[in-house]
Amino acid sequence: MNEIVRFARSSSHSVSLETLPSQLDIEHSFREVLRWIGEDPDRDGLRETPARLVRAFQEYFSGYRQDPELILQKTFEETDGYDEMVVLRGVPFESHCEHHVAPIIGHAWVAYVPNSRVVGISKLARVVEAYAKRLQIQERLTAQIANTIEKVLKPQGVAVVIKAAHHCMSSRGVHVHGTDLVTSRMLGCFRDNPMTRQEFMVMVHSGGEQ
Ligand SMILES: [Zn+2]
C-alpha cells in the first residue's frame, strides 16, 4: 500500500486514493466478468480465478509502482573518459496494449553515448520493464524509454528500437500472425550523426534477441 501511496503522489495523472477500489472489489468484478462470458464462477476450476487474476494484474502492471527516473539516479562518473556507445541488445519485455489489454511481446535495443555519467547496465533493462509493465502503445513505450534516459543521464545521444508482436492483431480483430511492429526514437548524436545511427542499426539488425 505504501508503494501505491507514493506513486499516487508522484504521478502526473494522479489517482485519488479515496476512489481506489479494494482488492476484494476487483475480485468481485472479475467474478462478474466470468459470469458475463457464460461461466459458472463457483465451479472448482474457477473458484480461485478472480484472486489469481488480481495477482496477475498486479504483475502485468507493476510498472505503475516504479519510478524510472529514480532507477537511473545512481550513476558512475569514474569512466576514464569512456565516450563510446553503450548498447544493451534485445531486452525481452511483455507489455499490454491500452486499447484491448492484449499482450505486446517484444525486445528492446537501448543505446546511449555517455557524456560523463554511465549507469549500471541492469538499470537500462529495469527502465524498459518499468514502462512496459503498464498499459501502452509501442510508440509511446519507445519514446518514454529514450526520453527518460536523455533526461536523467544527459548523454550525447540516445537510441531505442523496439520490435514487438501485438496479440490484439493476432488473437482478435484482423487475426494477422507473424508480424512485428518496429519503432525507434533517436536523440542527440544518433539523430544528428548518420555514422553513429548506422553503427547502432547494424547491431539491431544483427540480432540480440535472447
Ligand atoms: Zn490492442
Side-chain angles (χ1 to χ4, degrees):
M1 196 60 191
N2 273 342
E3 277 184 330
I4 294 169
V5 173
R6 256 208 317 279
F7 173 74
R9 283 190 185 135
S10 67
S11 166
S12 51
H13 42 270
S14 64
V15 184
S16 164
L17 286 174
E18 294 90 283
T19 61
L20 273 186
S22 72
Q23 191 159 320
L24 274 178
D25 292 335
I26 304 303
E27 283 180 29
H28 180 76
S29 301
F30 281 135
R31 200 185 133 85
E32 290 297 287
V33 171
L34 292 175
R35 285 181 57 215
W36 178 74
I37 62 172
E39 264 293 354
D40 168 13
D42 291 318
R43 72 178 173 83
D44 266 358
L46 291 181
R47 202 164 292 146
E48 296 297 319
T49 296
R52 286 192 203 100
L53 268 168
V54 166
R55 288 195 294 276
F57 265 53
Q58 282 170 334
E59 189 181 332
Y60 298 158
F61 303 114
S62 58
Y64 291 108
R65 298 190 298 278
Q66 295 176 46
D67 182 342
E69 289 185 21
L70 206 61
I71 291 169
L72 293 178
Q73 286 300 335
K74 190 169 187 290
T75 55
F76 308 99
E77 295 185 10
E78 290 170 355
T79 57
D80 281 358
Y82 184 89
D83 61 357
E84 298 295 325
M85 194 182 297
V86 177
V87 187
L88 190 58
R89 302 199 308 161
V91 185
F93 71 85
E94 303 102 41
S95 188
H96 287 81
C97 86
E98 69 183 20
H99 303 127
H100 309 94
V101 200
I104 303 170
I105 308 292
H107 292 85
W109 284 256
V110 180
Y112 70 104
V113 177
N115 234 334
S116 59
R117 305 164 72 195
V118 299
V119 72
I121 203 83
S122 67
K123 303 294 168 62
L124 296 175
R126 283 188 57 206
V127 168
V128 172
E129 175 166 296
Y131 282 121
K133 297 267 188 221
R134 301 177 184 202
L135 287 174
Q136 279 292 6
I137 60 172
Q138 188 176 323
E139 293 84 346
R140 187 177 60 228
L141 174 62
T142 310
Q144 285 176 328
I145 296 166
N147 295 351
T148 300
I149 294 167
E150 175 171 77
K151 183 178 173 191
V152 181
L153 297 187
K154 299 183 173 55
Q156 297 178 52
V158 184
V160 176
V161 167
I162 290 181
K163 300 180 188 176
H166 289 242
H167 287 214
C168 63
M169 282 186 64
S170 53
S171 62
R172 56 159 296 287
V174 289
H175 295 278
V176 174
H177 287 265
T179 56
D180 264 355
L181 184 65
V182 182
T183 48
S184 67
R185 181 156 175 87
M186 308 281 166
L187 300 170
C189 59
F190 288 93
R191 175 170 280 182
D192 303 335
N193 185 338
M195 295 286 286
T196 308
R197 184 165 60 241
Q198 177 67 13
E199 188 186 336
F200 173 61
M201 290 312 290
V202 165
M203 291 193 223
V204 171
H205 293 312
S206 68
E209 286 109 316
Q210 284 131 17

